[in-house]
Amino acid sequence: MDNGQLQVDGPLAGPFPDTETLAARACELMTGQGGASAGLAGSEYCALHYYAPDEGAYYLSYLSDVRRQLDTYSRKTCEMPTALRDLKRVNAIILGAGHNHPHNRQFSPGDLQTTWNPSRAVDKETGRSFHRALYLFFRERTGVCNAYRYDYASKVISALRDGQWIPIGRTVDDSGNIQMLDGADWLP
């Protein structure tokens, strides 16, 4: 856009009744893109996830593979969109962004150093408050797609397991260092 923001259209997918269903479907869509699960030679894709108050439903935007910096062998990037154009849902509330990692199931320190300001969003009609979150998607070699969520407000990292967000860790500083919860790990 003229102001420097990266805008994506929407929706690519949805409506979904909850963030768990959205994340499970987004994991399949994003890791199914060309190179999205190709390891160190792979590519990252970014998208927005958002809520439509009039429908009470969640959506995923179209994907972006725009990069402002070149990928390296061990570091993959995509620029996170920050603006949405959904002509049918002009009052949509952006709840955050999501991306895949082609080579690693964990959030990078860079993922966890960024924030979405403000870290909470409010539906002005109902007063309902939402925590904004960053989603991460990774397809295992077994074909299983794992989804993770970093809550910008609480700083908690959760894994999507059996259709539910399960807290597994939290960031402990502004550098993106993670402390795993007792008995928790990236895989069940």
Side-chain angles (χ1 to χ4, degrees):
M1 297 172 51
D2 290 343
N3 64 4
Q5 285 185 289
L6 178 62
Q7 177 178 277
V8 288
D9 289 339
L12 170 64
F16 300 108
D18 50 51
T19 62
E20 293 87 352
T21 307
L22 178 146
R25 183 68 182 121
C27 193
E28 296 295 331
L29 284 168
M30 292 181 85
T31 62
Q33 300 302 308
S37 298
L40 290 172
S43 300
E44 268 192 20
Y45 297 88
C46 293
L48 295 175
H49 55 99
Y50 57 102
Y51 179 74
D54 295 342
E55 303 169 35
Y58 297 86
Y59 289 89
L60 178 72
S61 75
Y62 280 90
L63 310 182
S64 168
D65 63 356
V66 172
R67 289 163 180 66
R68 287 200 187 197
Q69 61 186 15
L70 294 176
D71 285 352
T72 64
Y73 184 66
S74 62
R75 181 171 164 76
K76 307 300 174 190
T77 63
C78 62
E79 181 183 348
M80 289 293 179
T82 55
L84 172 70
R85 186 176 73 148
D86 184 332
L87 300 177
K88 291 186 178 179
R89 293 161 196 90
V90 293
N91 64 344
I93 300 169
I94 298 173
L95 298 181
H99 69 296
N100 67 293
H101 276 184
H103 63 296
N104 184 346
R105 78 179 57 82
Q106 300 178 19
F107 285 105
S108 69
D111 290 337
L112 302 177
Q113 288 171 345
T114 60
T115 187
W116 196 291
N117 271 327
S119 60
R120 292 176 176 88
V122 176
D123 178 349
K124 294 176 184 169
E125 295 285 321
T126 66
R128 180 177 174 192
S129 177
F130 298 88
H131 284 205
R132 288 196 163 116
L134 174 65
Y135 293 160
L136 170 66
F137 308 112
F138 179 75
R139 185 172 300 277
E140 303 289 338
R141 289 184 185 153
T142 61
V144 172
C145 199
N146 284 310
Y148 302 95
R149 176 180 72 182
Y150 176 61
D151 184 311
Y152 290 119
S154 70
K155 308 296 183 191
V156 170
I157 297 166
S158 300
L160 187 61
R161 299 200 173 134
D162 297 323
Q164 297 295 315
W165 290 116
I166 306 298
I168 60 170
R170 64 183 317 271
T171 56
V172 293
D173 57 29
D174 292 338
S175 296
N177 290 307
I178 300 169
Q179 178 182 10
M180 300 306 284
L181 300 178
D182 287 342
D185 205 342
W186 294 96
L187 291 175

